[in-house]
Amino acid sequence: MDANIYKNKRPVIVFLTPAFIFMIVYLYYPFLKNIWNSFLEIKQLGGTGSGFLDPWYENYAKMLTDANIKTSLINTLIMMLATLVFQVGFAVILALMVDNIKRGKQFFKTVFFFPIVISATALGLLFNLIFLYDKGMLNQILELLGKSELTDWKAEGIAIFTMMLPVIWQYVGFYFVILITGLNNISEDLYEAAMIDGASRIQRVFYISIPLLHNVICTCAVLAVTGALKVFDLPWTMFPKGMPLKSTFLTGTYMYYQTMEAKNVDYGSAIAVLIVVLGVLLSKAVNRIFKEKDY
Amino acid sequence: MKKKGIALLLAAAFAMSMIGCQGAAAPAAPAADTADSSAPADEAAPAAGGVEINVTTTFAGEDGNAQNFKDAMNAWCAETGNTVADTSATSDETFKTRVITDFETGSEPDVLFFFNGADANSFIEAGKVVSIDDIRAEYPDYASNMNDDLIADSLVDGKKYAVPVNGYWEAMFVNKEVLDAAGVSVPGADYTMDAFKADCKKIADAGYTPIAAALGNIPHYWWEYAIFNNGSPANHLEIPASADDAIGQAWVSGMNDIKELYELGYFPENTLSATDDETFAMFTEGKAAFLIDGSWKVGGIVAACQADPEDPATLDADKLAKFDVTYVPGKGDRKATDLIGGLSMGYYITTKAWDDPAKRDAAVSFVSYMTSDEIVPKFAQHTASALKNAPAVDESAFNPLQIKAMSMMSGVTSLTGAVQDLFMGDCRVSTFDGMPEIVTGKVDAKDAVQEGIDVYQAQ
């Protein structure tokens, strides 16, 4: 084996440079530019703005009093908790169940993963039809069951739950596949030894599978929390402009609303900075809470 | 050595692919000597073939002229040998933002069909479109078939930039099946707001929704007429200096009028959470009686009466006969027959296309074709046009709803532009997007109006 490959860094640099340049041009420069833009007054996307805001930190001060920011943060927090509890939770249950069946594992893997490959916008339109007020699938079923009045599934109060349902449903399969891969990595020897010792199937799940899945569940939790901060397309398709009464805004959808609809590009930039800061802080916190264990 | 070679090869391939992408996105180099920019083109003569121009219009989706545009565009392409990269889209706030952003980032189209009000200010200020006079300096026949007095002046410099095609009007569509079921007759030219409320009560008592409108999504038409009803054709286009002055008070009263109708339960139960498509479906399916919308909605209603929305041969004439279009209930100094309307859009030629010798002729030829005496009447139909010699309308070519629209238009006493076209951008947010908060009483109408005025004055 020629050890020279480890000493000579040039091939490494040659390979890394294009990716590094790509990241600088398409990620770091726009990010720094976005921070700069959040201090300027910009009314049109792509515009250079008409100078600094007065005071220059106006957008950040505005966030403290903006009721929609408060709604967005609360909704995003609810979304995070829902993703953690339901997305990861359901994924764990499904993965454990599928891991314990002898036939049809591949079938269930495909079925549960399938929603991930459908575009979120298409799913949003699909769920719009399900939750439609007049002639929606859900209301038609309720009508068949004898309910005489239509339910507005997008009314204030329940809209946030109507929005979360498809988001949670879509990503259960994603975490399911990660978890099932984690379960496959657990040695069969451990299960056999437990069986010889007389452990029941439930005991094997609680004393072998779940403890050994800890690190994978932690990874899923970090992905779920940071993912919840970025959810945009499906909620926007179902609840544009935070409808109704701006009660369904998430940080991502509110940023888009301010930038594209309200034409407050600079304020949208400030919200984007807030999302990044929150993302970094929350992923740190989640990493600390769900600390990985060495086995 | 071999590994180094492979590494360099891969890196070179990656770099080349990036360069390739850039090359694909860059505008095509002007074809050398294919057109003489100094020689004015004969309007009747087609531009030299083989040129591709980028065109963006609002003739797409449910727009009644979407098919007319496709047909005319294809005919122009066949006649000239040129091609069109069509990026037309439905007219909404996202479309406007896309167009403005394209101008800001230098990726504007060559020809644009767009609003001639305040929405166009930014690219006119930046000198990114060419005025009709500048084009006429080199192409004297350009838009010579138009009555210049009817072409709107730019709010920026008073010059004319956009060659209009079809006008628009905003009026009230009615579903006669619902009116019959509620014992209400089709409103006429003397319709008042009080009579409208009385009719709404009868319709609601009969178990139908009186007004099809999604206040949480598209409150625009009600916003416009509610303000108009508290003003007059003479002062409708004035922007208030404060919510307390006479115009400002009219605006506040307008918002409160909508709030009153909401509180009376005349809008759909889900008006705050429904989309415009949902409430429009309520109207076409016989669940709601009145719909205030624009002339472009005639096409949408006709399409809703066809088994195949794309195929006019599948029209259900009996279903279409249930729809009519009439005047919007009046109040105060505004008569029901005073409508919102005019020529609010037109074709622009961008400076980018004008400065490109390969595209200049093609862009001028395209706009000349689309605004010719033969094409404009097909688009204008039941609306107005700016043609000097508008040909007589052949009613046999129109469907019954278009004929009813023509009949309604013949009784119009005045057409006034929409004040929302002047009060544009984020100053409308507090009363457009904020309409649900206003009608539910979460925000006071006066505060919402004042907030919008403050933003307008800061612009």
Side-chain angles (χ1 to χ4, degrees), chain A residues 5-27:
Chain A
I5 191 170
Y6 300 110
K7 288 179 186 166
N8 186 356
K9 305 289 183 201
R10 270 190 295 176
V12 177
I13 293 169
V14 167
F15 272 114
L16 288 181
T17 304
F20 182 68
I21 293 171
F22 194 86
M23 293 289 276
I24 295 279
V25 172
Y26 291 106
L27 184 69

Side-chain angles (χ1 to χ4, degrees), chain B residues 39-365:
Chain B
D42 180 354
E43 199 175 285
V51 178
E52 182 180 86
I53 55 168
N54 298 305
V55 176
T56 295
T57 74
T58 55
F59 301 123
E62 276 191 1
D63 189 289
N65 277 318
Q67 192 57 46
N68 285 336
F69 177 72
K70 276 184 199 165
D71 294 344
M73 181 180 71
N74 291 336
W76 178 79
C77 289
E79 199 173 290
T80 62
N82 295 319
T83 52
V84 172
D86 178 23
T87 51
S88 299
T90 306
S91 171
D92 56 17
E93 291 303 312
T94 308
F95 171 78
K96 289 179 186 174
T97 304
R98 192 195 95 195
V99 168
I100 302 295
T101 308
D102 284 348
F103 272 103
E104 294 281 356
T105 54
S107 52
E108 66 268 29
D110 300 311
V111 173
L112 173 70
F113 185 75
F114 198 65
F115 300 91
N116 55 22
D119 288 304
N121 284 3
S122 63
F123 57 76
I124 290 176
E125 276 166 8
K128 294 205 168 186
V129 285
V130 189
S131 74
I132 292 173
D133 283 345
D134 287 346
I135 297 171
R136 281 176 179 162
E138 300 210 22
Y139 298 82
D141 288 336
Y142 184 73
S144 57
N145 58 333
M146 296 284 163
N147 182 345
D148 281 5
D149 292 339
L150 296 176
I151 300 178
D153 296 338
S154 160
L155 299 172
V156 174
D157 53 15
K159 292 181 183 175
K160 297 177 193 300
Y161 288 87
V163 186
V165 178
N166 54 314
Y168 78 101
W169 45 257
E170 292 175 10
M172 189 163 76
F173 295 94
V174 296
N175 187 319
K176 290 195 286 182
E177 192 180 24
V178 178
L179 294 191
D180 290 345
V184 173
S185 53
V186 175
D190 55 351
Y191 204 38
T192 63
M193 206 61 196
D194 289 334
F196 176 71
K197 282 185 222 167
D199 286 347
C200 284
K201 184 164 187 335
K202 284 184 198 168
I203 293 162
D205 290 344
Y208 294 91
T209 301
I211 307 164
L215 291 181
N217 186 209
I218 305 285
H220 306 41
Y221 306 105
W222 274 95
W223 185 97
E224 191 72 42
Y225 269 108
I227 289 173
F228 200 9
N229 265 345
N230 286 280
S232 69
N235 64 13
H236 181 60
L237 293 176
E238 289 177 29
I239 308 279
S242 148
D244 289 319
D245 67 22
I247 302 290
Q249 283 174 13
W251 284 36
V252 173
S253 300
M255 299 302 109
N256 283 326
D257 285 352
I258 301 174
K259 183 171 184 268
E260 185 194 353
L261 293 172
Y262 173 80
E263 287 169 345
L264 288 166
Y266 295 158
F267 289 106
E269 213 165 304
N270 63 336
T271 186
L272 304 184
S273 59
T275 61
D276 192 52
D277 287 345
E278 286 177 60
T279 52
F280 177 60
M282 287 180 74
F283 175 74
T284 54
E285 288 167 11
K287 290 172 183 167
F290 301 119
L291 170 79
I292 294 185
D293 214 309
S295 42
W296 43 86
K297 215 64 178 184
V298 170
I301 293 171
V302 173
C305 296
Q306 291 172 187
D308 176 0
E310 300 286 319
D311 183 7
T314 61
L315 177 71
D316 180 345
D318 291 338
K319 188 176 178 187
L320 187 61
K322 292 172 185 166
F323 297 100
D324 204 338
V325 58
T326 187
Y327 308 101
V328 180
K331 181 182 165 186
D333 293 335
R334 183 198 152 251
K335 297 191 286 288
T337 48
D338 294 328
L339 294 188
I340 297 292
L343 294 158
S344 65
M345 299 180 84
Y347 279 103
Y348 293 87
I349 291 179
T350 61
T351 308
K352 189 171 140 186
W354 183 252
D355 290 341
D356 184 339
K359 291 190 170 183
R360 180 187 285 193
D361 281 349
V364 171
S365 163

Side-chain angles (χ1 to χ4, degrees), chain A residues 5 8 10 14-15 18 22 43-47 132-135 152 154-156 241 243-246 256-257 260-264, chain B residues 3-4 7 10-11 14 18 93-94 97 100-101 104-105 216-217 269-270 272-274 278 285 287 426 429 433-434 436-437 440 442:
Chain A
I5 191 170
N8 186 356
R10 270 190 295 176
V14 167
F15 272 114
F22 194 86
K43 293 291 176 197
Q44 301 292 353
L45 265 180
L132 201 64
Y133 179 72
D134 190 21
K135 288 187 180 169
D152 184 5
K154 292 184 172 183
E156 197 188 11
K241 300 183 186 181
M243 276 167 44
L245 287 150
K246 302 187 177 73
Y256 181 84
Y257 169 77
M260 302 297 285
E261 301 282 338
K263 312 278 193 300
N264 268 326
Chain B
K3 283 175 184 167
K4 268 188 192 174
L10 285 170
F14 184 71
M18 289 182 77
E93 291 303 312
T94 308
T97 304
I100 302 295
T101 308
E104 294 281 356
T105 54
N217 186 209
E269 213 165 304
N270 63 336
L272 304 184
S273 59
E278 286 177 60
E285 288 167 11
K287 290 172 183 167
D426 49 346
V429 168
D433 297 347
E437 282 84 353
T440 53
K442 292 189 176 180

Side-chain angles (χ1 to χ4, degrees), chain B residues 240-242 423 427 450 452-459:
Chain B
S242 148
F423 193 67
C427 51
Q450 187 59 54
I453 294 168
D454 291 343
V455 177
Y456 178 79
Q457 287 170 343
Q459 283 176 348

